[in-house]
């Protein structure tokens, strides 16, 4: 009995020291949004308070923490948080940031972004809280939902532009207006432990979008969304994706590359240990005719698919256009692609589609240990049974 008490009090002591030292560590360098006039009630506009807190934290000479406190909800309109900052900075989201539900809060100039973080070196975004794009009004007004409406742009919930040494971890990102997280022109990026969710019917809500970025790691994320779980676009180099759960959604996609006769390059991408549930695609590479450049040194391995429409697909004749795409002479070269240890079920009879270009045919494509059977049923369940823990085993 006595020894039990001792153990309990010893661990309480340890906990106390841990909290205490953590406090002492950050100490005066915590910049709480509450100290900059925020309401935190989810009704009043806290955009200015967020901007002011960022300005203070970003000009701190010592490593700074911008705190979004737990239990509070901050209504935020379009905002840009820019660097460079004087020191490293953590955006600690413990509570929630919620986007304004008014489309009129965005102008033609700002419509592509909700929260844009630009030009910061040594940024960590973490805290276990929620980033809520409040996207319903945007989905309802999308031409993909209602074909009578004109097609317009919508904000990406969280954009990282031109950041170096970036970490994004332990967050819930929900109901983005359009793309959920976009990493653009960044280097040395770690994205991990995110839960990303939007309804299957929410148009263009790609989970994690990566472009013009190098040395990127994405691990341990759970993505349920209305478009690609991950879209890997032009200019991605050295990307390692590991331990992911995806579905519903459109799967993990490299591309589309080479639209409007553009040049695109994707090099050295590994996608490892992924489960896909009821997605339209599994491992996909898609390029338009008429493009230039290359997608090469790509590995998709250790994947489990459950009722996926196109489990393995390379499409060099991709055409997402209202008018048919004409035959063209040039194409993005697709080479050195390995699909290895892929098993599970296909919802369609064509589990593997290699739709290569007739002018620049894909080459160096290897399929190794692939076992896919037809499930024969389109009755997709909307909740997948896996947790991240299943993947980590
Ligand atoms: C490919 O990318 C990985 C990171 O995903 C990196 O460790 C490796 O060095 C890269 N290979 C080459 C040849 O650049
Ligand atoms: C392929 O998977 C099916 C279904 O899981 C299984 O019954 C079969 O034995 C597997 N084939 C090989 C060659 O592993």
């Amino acid at each position: 009995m006595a020894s039990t008490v001792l153990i309990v009090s010893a661990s309480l002591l340890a906990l106390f020291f841990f909290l205490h030292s953590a406090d002492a560590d950050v100490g005066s360098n915590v910049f709480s949004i509450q100290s900059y006039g925020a309401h935190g009630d989810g009704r009043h506009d806290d955009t200015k308070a967020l901007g002011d807190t960022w300005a203070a934290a970003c000009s701190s000479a010592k490593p700074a923490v911008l705190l979004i406190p737990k239990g509070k909800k901050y209504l935020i309109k379009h905002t840009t948080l820019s660097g460079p900052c004087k020191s490293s900075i953590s955006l600690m989201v413990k509570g929630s940031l919620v986007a304004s539900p008014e489309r009129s809060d965005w102008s033609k100039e700002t419509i592509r972004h909700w929260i844009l973080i630009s030009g910061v070196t040594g940024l960590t975004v973490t805290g276990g809280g929620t980033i809520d794009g409040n996207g319903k009004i945007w989905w309802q007004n999308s031409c993909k939902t209602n074909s009578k409406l004109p097609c317009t742009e919508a904000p990406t919930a969280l954009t990282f532009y031109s950041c170096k040494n970036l970490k994004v971890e332990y967050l819930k990102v929900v109901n983005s207006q359009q793309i959920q997280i976009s990493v653009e022109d960044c280097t040395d990026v770690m994205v991990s432990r995110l839960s990303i969710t939007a309804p299957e019917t929410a148009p263009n809500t790609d989970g994690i979008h990566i472009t013009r970025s190098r040395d990127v790691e994405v691990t341990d994320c759970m993505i349920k969304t209305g478009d690609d779980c991950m879209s890997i676009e032009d200019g991605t180099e050295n990307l390692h994706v590991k331990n992911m759960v995806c579905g519903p959604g459109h799967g993990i996609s490299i591309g589309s590359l080479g639209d409007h006769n553009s040049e695109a390059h994707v090099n050295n991408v590994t996608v490892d240990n992924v489960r896909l549930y009821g997605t339209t695609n599994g491992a996909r590479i898609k390029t338009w005719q008429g493009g230039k450049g290359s997608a090469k040194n790509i590995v998709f391995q250790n994947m489990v698919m459950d009722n996926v429409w196109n489990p393995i697909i390379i499409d060099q004749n991709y055409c997402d256009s209202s008018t048919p795409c004409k035959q063209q002479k040039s194409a993005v070269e697709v080479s050195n692609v390995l699909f290895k240890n892929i098993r599970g079920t296909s919802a369609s009879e064509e589990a593997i589609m290699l739709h290569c270009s007739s002018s620049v045919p894909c080459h160096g494509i290897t399929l190794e240990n692939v076992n896919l059977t037809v499930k024969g049923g389109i009755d997709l369940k909307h909740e997948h049974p896996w947790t991240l823990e299943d993947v980590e085993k």
Side-chain angles (χ1 to χ4, degrees), residues 54 57-60 82-89 119-121:
W54 175 267
C58 184
S59 54
S60 162
S82 328
C85 295
K86 276 208 171 140
S87 184
S88 61
I89 182 164
V120 186
T121 297

Side-chain angles (χ1 to χ4, degrees), residues 216 238-240 268 270:
V216 181
N238 303 347
L239 166 66
H240 197 190
N268 189 17
T270 301

Side-chain angles (χ1 to χ4, degrees), residues 75-390:
L75 182 73
I76 305 293
K77 299 181 181 177
H78 163 80
T79 189
T80 303
L81 308 175
S82 328
C85 295
K86 276 208 171 140
S87 184
S88 61
I89 182 164
S90 291
L91 175 54
M92 185 76 70
V93 182
K94 294 188 177 236
S96 348
L97 299 175
V98 183
S100 161
E102 303 296 333
R103 289 198 304 151
S104 57
D105 283 333
W106 275 263
S107 68
K108 228 177 142 198
E109 286 68 42
T110 61
I111 194 150
R112 293 192 47 241
H113 303 106
W114 173 32
I115 299 173
L116 168 62
I117 301 184
S118 165
V120 186
T121 297
L123 169 69
T124 301
V125 185
T126 184
T130 302
I131 304 207
D132 181 352
N134 218 349
K136 202 168 170 189
I137 189 78
W138 298 90
W139 311 332
Q140 286 168 350
N141 283 282
S142 163
C143 64
K144 293 208 174 164
T145 306
N146 180 348
S147 58
K148 290 195 187 93
L149 294 171
C151 293
T152 53
E153 289 183 293
T156 291
L158 195 53
T159 305
F160 297 96
Y161 175 73
S162 198
C163 290
K164 275 196 197 102
N165 193 3
L166 168 70
K167 263 194 197 152
V168 185
E169 56 187 22
Y170 293 103
L171 290 172
K172 292 188 271 296
V173 181
V174 302
N175 298 335
S176 62
Q177 303 91 329
Q178 210 171 69
I179 295 172
Q180 316 228 35
I181 294 180
S182 181
V183 175
E184 306 170 9
D185 300 86
C186 293
T187 50
D188 292 316
V189 181
M190 282 271 304
V191 175
S192 64
R193 292 255 152 208
L194 302 184
S195 153
I196 297 177
T197 313
E200 188 175 6
T201 49
N204 301 109
T205 48
D206 288 9
I208 301 173
H209 177 89
I210 297 174
T211 187
R212 299 182 307 271
S213 295
R214 51 182 304 148
D215 304 323
V216 181
E217 227 177 273
V218 179
T219 64
D220 306 296
C221 296
M222 166 93 81
I223 302 173
K224 307 176 181 183
T225 197
D227 205 316
D228 294 338
C229 288
M230 283 194 70
S231 47
I232 299 160
E233 301 272 349
D234 174 35
T236 301
E237 187 158 1
N238 303 347
L239 166 66
H240 197 190
V241 178
K242 207 176 166 190
N243 301 348
M244 308 281 283
V245 176
C246 162
H250 295 183
I252 301 206
S253 219
I254 296 182
S256 57
L257 306 176
D259 57 337
H260 304 112
N261 306 99
S262 64
E263 180 168 348
H265 294 272
V266 169
N267 182 22
N268 189 17
V269 174
T270 301
V271 175
D272 189 8
N273 204 24
V274 174
R275 289 195 172 221
L276 296 122
Y277 187 83
T279 53
T280 47
N281 303 287
R284 169 156 82 158
I285 301 174
K286 52 177 172 174
T287 64
W288 294 78
Q289 290 190 62
K292 291 194 288 280
S294 63
K296 61 186 182 191
N297 307 323
I298 294 161
V299 177
F300 288 99
Q301 65 184 9
N302 306 319
M303 299 176 83
V304 180
M305 318 245 178
D306 188 339
N307 212 15
V308 170
W309 266 101
N310 303 302
I312 293 177
I313 174 168
I314 294 179
D315 185 2
Q316 280 187 296
N317 301 303
Y318 180 70
C319 175
D320 181 18
S321 148
S322 50
T323 52
C325 297
K326 280 201 303 263
Q327 196 66 35
Q328 297 194 43
K329 285 215 175 66
S330 70
V332 176
E333 184 180 0
V334 175
S335 67
N336 198 13
V337 182
L338 170 64
F339 298 95
K340 186 179 165 183
N341 303 340
I342 298 182
R343 64 185 170 87
T345 55
S346 173
S348 73
E349 300 214 336
E350 292 182 335
I352 302 174
M353 265 200 336
L354 304 177
H355 198 6
C356 292
S357 154
S358 51
S359 46
V360 188
C362 55
H363 57 99
I365 312 298
T366 308
L367 290 129
E368 199 181 311
N369 192 23
V370 174
N371 183 2
L372 294 161
T373 52
V374 177
K375 186 150 186 170
I378 50 166
D379 180 27
L380 305 181
K381 287 193 204 95
H382 288 252
E383 281 298 312
H384 60 63
W386 295 313
T387 63
L388 263 182
E389 280 64 35
D390 293 330

